DNA sequence: AGTATATTGCACACAACTGTGCAAGTTACA
DNA sequence: TGTAACTTGCACAGTTGTGTGCAATATACT
């Protein structure tokens, strides 16, 4: 592959990231334009629109999963909070795109790349239940989905209502912990006693 | 208007309710077919697809708002829980459609009919904050949106993962209370000490 | 039974896309 | 500098929808 072709491929992915973050239904025309290319040449890099989207999602989801994989802490609740924190940082400037990937028509594909992350969440919750720090009134698998949903709600809220990044970051963690069963005070205490949750 | 025309209009709205609940992007063709009419005759009742959707949403949202308007209780938290409960009952069998109305492209229109309901939620939360029973770490307006989002998450969860209606009903209330800042135990206690939340 | 009212099928215009074929142009790079 | 690799514009086919005009038909209601 020629060097400019490589660069253009990158440019297309970057453009798609931006454009789909503005409007998940953005056309190839719009994406190509942002990349400084013609719609026609998109097909020189990706066979179909779908292929472009899948690649984009795979890259993003893998990156997120990889980042979250390095999280570690003995306390499952703190681990959960740390995961939420990492998630925020990884997704901060592609919030809409992230929500689209997880909730949109390609969610099945996203799920594959996100599987390890979700496994980690389920494990942490199960551990928390065993330790008595996470609610027992909702089955673990379901609670894991609801916790993820809470995080997405926070992302969406941060997208619509412009708020300072630090507030959004804290909000994601708070909602995750609240959904896990903590009271607002307990959640705040947990965050405040763990400075690594500020970064 | 002729009597059969009135009936067909109703049939179209009912069909749209069902069809859009299966797929929010359902075509007029599909809706008309379910109503036992031809696509062409839809235009005898509604000028555009948009008009049909708006009418549908107005009817539904108004009904929900009216039902919620009759909720009353001194304790703002219990009131919030009762609102969640009513919401569930009103929306139970059009969950997908409800989520579409609130999150989809017509959310602006939905907002009008839903305004009184949202006002009530904001008020209850504000009252709860004043009474010290609702979290103070998130601004009231934002918290109101997040509480609503939590309810929607519960609806979505109940839609995807088939669960008994009673469990879904309880889940909606639990998530609303958790988001409001209660611990899982506090939320459960509140529900269990208020039998009217079971109906 | 007669008439206003509804419904239907069909054709058509239109829009906004995706994806392809091909000839002509441009550019990396050996 | 030559050539393979890449990009472009344009035309075209195909898809899937919405919305309209119109003539033919069916139906409610008086």
């Amino acid at each position: 592959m020629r060097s400019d072709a490589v660069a253009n491929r990158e440019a297309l992915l970057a453009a798609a990231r931006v454009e789909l973050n503005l409007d998940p239904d953005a056309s190839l025309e719009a994406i190509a334009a942002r990349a400084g290319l013609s719609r026609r040449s998109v097909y020189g890099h990706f066979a179909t629109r779908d292929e472009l989207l899948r690649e984009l999602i795979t890259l993003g989801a893998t990156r997120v999963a990889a980042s979250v994989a390095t999280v570690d802490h003995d306390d499952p609740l703190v681990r959960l909070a740390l995961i939420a924190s990492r998630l925020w940082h990884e997704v901060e400037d592609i919030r809409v795109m992230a929500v689209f990937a997880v909730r949109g028509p390609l969610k099945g594909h996203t799920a594959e790349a996100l599987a390890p992350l979700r496994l980690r969440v389920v494990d942490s919750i199960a551990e928390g239940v065993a330790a008595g720090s996470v609610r027992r009134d909702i089955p673990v698998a379901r609670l894991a989905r609801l916790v993820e949903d809470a995080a997405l709600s926070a992302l969406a809220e941060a997208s619509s209502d412009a708020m300072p990044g630090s507030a959004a970051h804290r909000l994601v963690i708070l909602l995750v912990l609240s959904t896990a069963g903590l009271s607002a005070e307990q959640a705040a205490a947990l965050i405040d006693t763990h400075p690594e949750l500020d970064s």
Side-chain angles (χ1 to χ4, degrees), chain A:
Chain A
M1 209 160 35
R2 232 166 70 177
S3 73
D4 58 344
V6 181
N8 283 338
R9 194 169 204 279
E10 294 303 313
L12 279 172
L13 286 167
R17 206 145 25 220
V18 174
E19 206 66 30
L20 293 170
N21 201 46
L22 297 174
D23 168 19
D25 288 327
S27 70
L28 286 187
E29 184 72 49
I31 294 171
R34 178 172 295 271
L37 295 182
S38 68
R39 180 177 76 90
R40 185 62 185 82
S41 40
V42 174
Y43 293 97
H45 299 282
F46 305 94
T48 65
R49 179 178 209 276
D50 216 64
E51 197 178 295
L52 169 55
L53 291 206
R54 283 173 195 278
E55 174 132 5
L56 195 58
I57 288 178
T58 302
L59 287 173
T62 305
R63 186 174 50 85
V64 173
S67 165
V68 165
T70 71
V71 166
D72 202 17
H73 198 282
D74 283 342
D75 184 339
L77 266 183
V78 178
R79 207 184 311 143
L80 219 47
L82 283 168
I83 291 174
S85 171
R86 286 290 180 84
L87 177 73
W88 167 257
H89 289 304
E90 290 299 327
V91 159
E92 184 171 8
D93 37 86
I94 48 159
R95 278 164 265 183
V96 178
M97 174 70 199
V99 172
F100 167 76
V102 174
R103 295 219 249 244
L106 274 71
K107 61 180 166 206
H109 181 253
T110 308
E112 290 175 35
L114 236 46
L117 190 166
R118 286 180 167 154
L119 215 69
R120 247 181 118 52
V121 172
V122 170
D123 281 354
S124 299
I125 288 180
E127 224 178 291
V129 169
S133 57
V134 169
R135 72 195 312 164
R136 330 175 79 89
D137 57 348
I138 299 174
V140 172
R142 177 172 299 150
L143 184 53
R145 287 191 294 270
L146 292 169
V147 163
E148 182 181 316
D149 248 41
L152 288 183
S153 287
L155 293 186
E157 173 67 19
S159 300
S160 52
D161 194 14
M163 53 194 285
S166 62
H169 177 239
R170 184 172 239 264
L171 183 64
V172 176
I173 303 176
L174 280 174
L175 281 192
V176 162
L177 294 177
S178 287
T179 306
L182 270 65
S183 71
E185 294 77 19
Q186 293 171 321
L190 187 147
I191 295 179
D192 294 334
T193 56
H194 293 272
E196 64 267 47
L197 285 172
D198 273 339
S199 59

